[in-house]
Amino acid sequence: MTNRWHHYEWELLQAPAMHPALHMALDEILLDQVSKGLRKPTLRFWEWATSSVIIGRFQSLKNEVDSQQAERHGLSVVRRISGGGAMFLEPGNGITYSIYAPEALVAGLNFQESYLTLDAWVVEGLKSLGVNAWYQPLNDITSDGGKIGGAAQARRNKAVLHHTMLAYDMDADKMVQVLRIGQEKLSDKGTTSAKKRVDPLRRQTGLSREEISQRLVQQFAQSAPLSSGVLDAATLQAAADLAQSKYQSLEWTALVP
């Protein structure tokens, strides 16, 4: 991290497991709160209550997701407000976090530089755990064994949302069945190649998800002032209402058919 992180006091949010649509709604609510100065710049770690495929704001639903396979495996499909690619998520298989910050934090940086800056602390944290990790433009974190995670961003009202998912214990076979892009990329190599394309942190570190997450929080706190916060009842209610009206609606999910 550069010194620009020290211009802000940061809040850490760690909440119980939630439905994917509620996570997407919280991203929008918390981003708006930070943009209006109602909340400090915030780092939020997620826990997943159910399995899901999260697609990017501009992705085609039918091109990205095999709906029959998603239904067979009991996965919901939720569209987020940020761009980027589809994410396959199950409880316990990933480490997911969001950063909500004033856009001034990345002022003067192009998109590639902003991704590098906003994930630099994670790369350093993974290195401290013995993982030879690095940033791979535009929005990936990778290692000697393959891709570890991917990020996406959204900006509105002079605030930036940056969220990243790191693979901890990925069910690569199921992922390939559900994500069409995975099927296309691996069609000439066989589905077993999925395990080579995504290199989970469980295998690389031998540590629990909780241990890795704790180390990443410590890494962030070494580089920027960070204190624990809570999700207040009003914010949770606003997110629940938005999840129901928007993120669980077919109109939003199929916004790009």
Side-chain angles (χ1 to χ4, degrees):
M1 289 186 183
T2 63
N3 289 334
R4 67 176 67 205
W5 291 79
H6 289 275
H7 295 164
Y8 307 98
E9 294 183 356
W10 291 81
E11 185 172 84
L12 173 66
L13 296 179
Q14 294 174 297
M18 298 179 183
H19 187 277
L22 184 56
H23 277 305
M24 300 307 114
L26 272 172
D27 264 354
E28 184 169 346
I29 295 291
L30 294 173
L31 177 63
D32 286 344
Q33 289 181 350
V34 171
S35 73
K36 295 173 182 176
L38 302 176
R39 179 179 293 274
K40 294 179 182 179
T42 298
L43 169 66
R44 179 171 76 95
F45 277 79
W46 308 14
E47 291 294 338
W48 297 89
T50 61
S51 301
S52 185
V53 175
I54 310 299
I55 59 175
R57 167 65 177 80
F58 307 105
Q59 288 189 303
S60 164
L61 176 60
K62 65 181 180 181
N63 288 346
E64 297 298 328
V65 183
D66 187 323
S67 297
Q68 289 185 337
Q69 290 293 338
E71 183 177 356
R72 183 171 77 87
H73 290 295
L75 276 74
S76 61
V77 180
V78 184
R79 185 181 297 277
R80 61 181 185 267
I81 60 172
S82 62
M87 302 188 304
F88 167 78
L89 293 154
E90 294 182 293
N93 81 352
I95 298 171
T96 315
Y97 61 87
S98 291
I99 292 171
Y100 317 89
E103 199 170 28
L105 179 65
V106 293
L109 304 180
N110 60 34
F111 275 102
Q112 180 173 324
E113 292 168 339
S114 72
Y115 277 98
L116 171 62
T117 297
L118 293 174
D119 275 338
W121 60 281
V122 177
V123 172
E124 291 305 311
L126 292 175
K127 287 181 177 178
S128 75
L129 295 173
V131 178
N132 184 27
W134 65 88
Y135 165 72
Q136 180 70 43
L138 174 63
N139 58 348
D140 287 345
I141 297 174
T142 192
S143 68
D144 296 327
K147 178 178 175 179
I148 296 173
Q153 287 187 11
R155 303 188 186 195
R156 61 169 64 180
N157 301 325
K158 298 184 179 180
V160 58
L161 161 67
H162 178 95
H163 43 200
T164 300
M165 195 278 284
L166 305 175
Y168 175 71
D169 191 16
M170 189 71 65
D171 186 336
D173 293 329
K174 188 184 297 184
M175 177 186 71
V176 171
Q177 293 173 30
V178 173
L179 298 183
R180 293 191 186 279
I181 190 67
Q183 296 168 7
E184 294 171 3
K185 287 184 177 180
L186 300 171
S187 60
D188 60 338
K189 302 175 183 178
T191 57
T192 55
S193 297
K195 294 181 175 64
K196 299 179 181 178
R197 290 185 56 82
V198 180
D199 198 32
L201 289 173
R202 180 179 182 179
R203 186 193 66 78
Q204 290 207 45
T205 67
L207 300 174
S208 69
R209 286 177 64 252
E210 291 73 18
E211 289 174 308
I212 296 173
S213 296
Q214 183 178 25
R215 179 67 194 100
L216 294 180
V217 169
Q218 292 170 349
Q219 183 68 42
F220 191 102
Q222 288 175 12
S223 306
L226 182 66
S227 59
S228 295
V230 295
L231 281 170
D232 58 279
T235 296
L236 284 170
Q237 186 60 57
D241 293 342
L242 186 61
Q244 183 175 23
S245 64
K246 178 177 180 178
Y247 289 97
Q248 291 178 294
S249 72
L250 181 59
E251 181 182 8
W252 172 254
T253 304
L255 186 66
V256 183

